[in-house]
Amino acid sequence: MPGLRASPPAFLLLLVLVFPRGSPAAPGAGQELEPGSRSAVAAARVALHYGNFQARSLGGLRALGQVRKATLKNIPESGHKYYLQFSTEDYRTGEDAGNCLATVLYPKKKSPPVVSIKCSHTKDKKEIQEEDNRFYQRIRHQSKPITGNNIPDSYGNIEPALEPVWALAVAGSSSIMWEKSTETLGYFLAQVKSVRQWVRKDDFTEFDYTVLLHEIPTQEIISCHMRLTWLPGHPLKVKHFCASNADEGSGAESGSAAGPSAEKGAKF
């Protein structure tokens, strides 16, 4: 596949991991989709939501570039499974961030999409760790607990002091958007309505957020409360409650301006 930065052996291994030979869910018998179709693009975004949350990193956050290839297969008793190849961009800068292979299964039962994703990188691990540490130190060295409202503002701008807070919101809300996504509904982070930092005695940072999610294609704005805990190199812990569904709330832990334009980040 043109443009992949992984070496040929590494890329072949990536293909085997995501599309195992002989698997009963191999995409060969599936339906080829137009890469730019709504369903293919939506599934790729779900994969990235999951990947951004699991990555544990603010320096490695990605936005969707272009879907290169998409295949859909109906898995009996399970649901629809998408096989995807797509490019990504750095969430903050818009620069090339590497390519990804992913599968996304939308279960027939009410549960989050089942995602497997493997990506090549244009940043090395040390560079990402250094960027994470810079974000962390900016949070720790504030003279008083961080508070903020309406991030980004109506012009899409973010105060420099609040850049780490926005990046954390992107990472944390990715878990909510992944969990809430279905084959017919997708989500973007539109805005941080409010944020407040909690003072802790250990090295972790902890924040309370109210975030606004833009639901596609309904165009509804969903308000969610999110409690987020983070320390570089450790799993990102998120608990949330969304006001649109009174019975909806969950906790998740990573294993590792309104509208669609917000996907690629606001103006830092």
Side-chain angles (χ1 to χ4, degrees):
M1 183 174 63
L4 268 175
R5 297 175 180 270
S7 63
F11 177 53
L12 290 175
L13 176 60
L14 206 56
L15 283 170
V16 170
L17 288 171
V18 180
F19 303 120
R21 180 175 294 182
S23 165
Q31 173 190 355
E32 291 287 338
L33 302 176
E34 286 293 329
S37 66
R38 175 181 292 182
S39 58
V41 172
R45 288 199 181 103
V46 170
L48 271 184
H49 289 329
Y50 178 84
N52 279 339
F53 174 58
Q54 291 291 327
R56 309 183 181 191
S57 169
L58 306 188
L61 291 172
R62 300 170 185 252
L64 181 63
Q66 290 186 323
V67 178
R68 307 294 190 191
K69 187 175 182 180
T71 304
L72 169 63
K73 186 173 183 181
N74 181 40
I75 309 297
E77 309 300 326
S78 296
H80 288 163
K81 190 169 187 177
Y82 290 76
Y83 298 79
L84 305 154
Q85 300 177 20
F86 54 89
S87 63
T88 65
E89 301 173 357
D90 184 281
Y91 200 99
R92 295 178 61 231
T93 67
E95 296 176 355
D96 175 32
N99 295 273
C100 299
L101 297 172
T103 62
V104 176
L105 171 67
Y106 294 103
K108 290 183 177 180
K109 60 183 180 180
K110 188 177 180 180
S111 60
V114 179
V115 177
S116 174
I117 181 170
K118 301 288 183 180
C119 298
S120 62
H121 296 272
T122 56
K123 293 180 180 178
D124 60 34
K125 186 176 181 179
K126 182 179 179 181
E127 186 179 358
I128 292 174
Q129 289 174 340
E130 289 174 348
E131 194 166 340
D132 283 347
N133 190 57
R134 285 195 295 270
F135 275 123
Y136 177 73
Q137 293 302 326
R138 288 172 66 182
I139 293 172
R140 296 286 289 184
H141 290 162
Q142 297 287 335
S143 59
K144 58 183 179 180
I146 297 171
T147 60
N149 296 283
N150 301 323
I151 309 167
D153 63 20
S154 57
Y155 297 99
N157 298 312
I158 296 176
E159 295 178 22
L162 296 176
E163 290 173 8
V165 173
W166 170 255
L168 271 174
V170 172
S173 65
S174 292
S175 71
I176 306 175
M177 295 186 286
W178 156 58
E179 288 185 9
K180 288 178 65 66
S181 292
T182 68
E183 199 166 8
T184 57
L185 291 176
Y187 298 88
F188 294 97
L189 173 60
Q191 189 179 54
V192 172
K193 194 64 179 175
S194 65
V195 60
R196 179 180 66 167
Q197 183 181 8
W198 289 86
V199 177
R200 294 177 60 111
K201 295 182 179 180
D202 58 16
D203 292 332
F204 283 83
T205 60
E206 185 170 356
F207 291 88
D208 265 338
Y209 285 90
T210 298
V211 295
L212 302 181
L213 306 182
H214 185 185
E215 186 176 81
I216 303 296
T218 67
Q219 304 301 322
E220 290 187 20
I221 298 297
I222 311 298
S223 177
C224 297
H225 175 263
M226 178 172 69
R227 173 69 67 90
L228 183 151
T229 307
W230 178 67
L231 177 67
H234 290 258
L236 187 68
K237 297 181 180 180
V238 177
K239 294 182 179 180
H240 77 270
F241 176 86
C242 293
S244 61
N245 298 293
D247 60 346
E248 180 179 314
S250 75
E253 180 174 322
S254 65
S256 37
S261 61
E263 181 200 9
K264 295 186 179 180
K267 300 174 185 176
F268 286 87

